[in-house]
Each structure stands twice: as C-alpha cells, then as structure tokens.
Amino acid sequence: MASYFSNAGVKAGLDAMLDLLDAGGAGSLRIYSGTAPADADTALSGNTLLAQLALSSTGFASSTDGTGKATAAANSITTDSSADASGTATFCRMYTNGGTCVWQGTVGTSGANLNLVTTSIVATQPVSCSSFTMNLSETGT
C-alpha cells in the first residue's frame, strides 16, 4: 500500500511538532551514550547524558517546501560549554523545556541525524552544533 501526503500537510505537521519544543520556554538537544530506546516515547534505560545544548526560544524556523518533504532549519543552538559526562555519543533527543521528548535520532560522524566531528565526548569539554535541519517526508505507509 502506498500513501502520500500533500506538501502543505507535511509542512503543517512538521511546524506543529517543532512548535512543541517552544512550549514553556526553550527546548534542548540532548546527546546520549548507550543503546537508543525503541522510539521517542520509550523511556531511557541505562543511558548516560553526555551533553545538553539549549535551543533558541523559537527552536526552528517555519518549514519550507523541500523535494518530497518539508524541511525546517534550527535557529541558533547554544554550545554546552562543559559536557556532563564522558562517553561515545550514539543517539540524541530533542526535549521541551518541561522535559517531554519530542524527537529522537542517531548520532555519528556522517550519515546520521546529528553529525559531530567526533562521537567521543569528554566531560567538561565543550560540545557544539553549528546547524541542524529537520525533515518530514511526503511519503507514508
């Protein structure tokens, strides 16, 4: 079975999801080690928070029409000037200011949702993200 969403529909959906990050104040991008939970609704289990970077009060710009997708770029993301712990970054999550997970993705040095210069995070060292783009596809199941 093949289904497709209109660009207007995926833009509205992406904007609504990303607006959740702004509720109650700026959200955050958190980077973890360990095995990623099954999805963004599954609780963490034995994972270590390596770094937490603050999103802007308006985390993302309004989405635009990409080829077969809606796309939205993050506004500035504040560097975590002192990583919380040392470890190998394996996944990341975006949270509301109130601590609700909205999104989860992979971390790597290329081909991941969040690409870092190195996945080796060292406690007390800075961790930064110079840009981040979120996409939502027009194809569904």
Side-chain angles (χ1 to χ4, degrees):
M1 187 173 2
S3 61
Y4 303 91
F5 300 100
S6 70
N7 184 259
V10 294
K11 283 181 63 196
L14 182 58
D15 286 338
M17 183 190 69
L18 295 174
D19 284 348
L20 293 172
L21 293 170
D22 303 334
S28 62
L29 170 62
R30 299 179 191 176
I31 302 170
Y32 294 92
S33 66
T35 302
D39 58 38
D41 292 318
T42 302
L44 296 171
S45 178
N47 304 104
T48 300
L49 174 64
L50 301 175
Q52 180 170 304
L53 293 77
L55 301 176
S56 297
S57 59
T58 301
F60 283 78
S62 294
S63 66
T64 59
D65 181 8
T67 303
K69 63 187 175 192
T71 186
N75 291 317
S76 66
I77 299 173
T78 303
T79 295
D80 182 343
S81 60
S82 179
D84 296 276
S86 295
T88 301
T90 54
F91 72 99
C92 59
R93 285 181 158 191
M94 286 195 180
Y95 287 88
T96 66
N97 184 273
T100 301
C101 182
V102 174
W103 175 86
Q104 176 178 297
T106 59
V107 175
T109 56
S110 67
N113 297 112
L114 176 63
N115 296 311
L116 300 174
V117 173
T118 179
T119 57
S120 295
I121 306 292
V122 178
T124 73
Q125 296 300 304
V127 178
S128 63
C129 177
S130 60
S131 66
F132 194 99
T133 302
M134 188 73 71
N135 299 305
L136 187 60
S137 176
E138 292 176 15
T139 60
T141 55

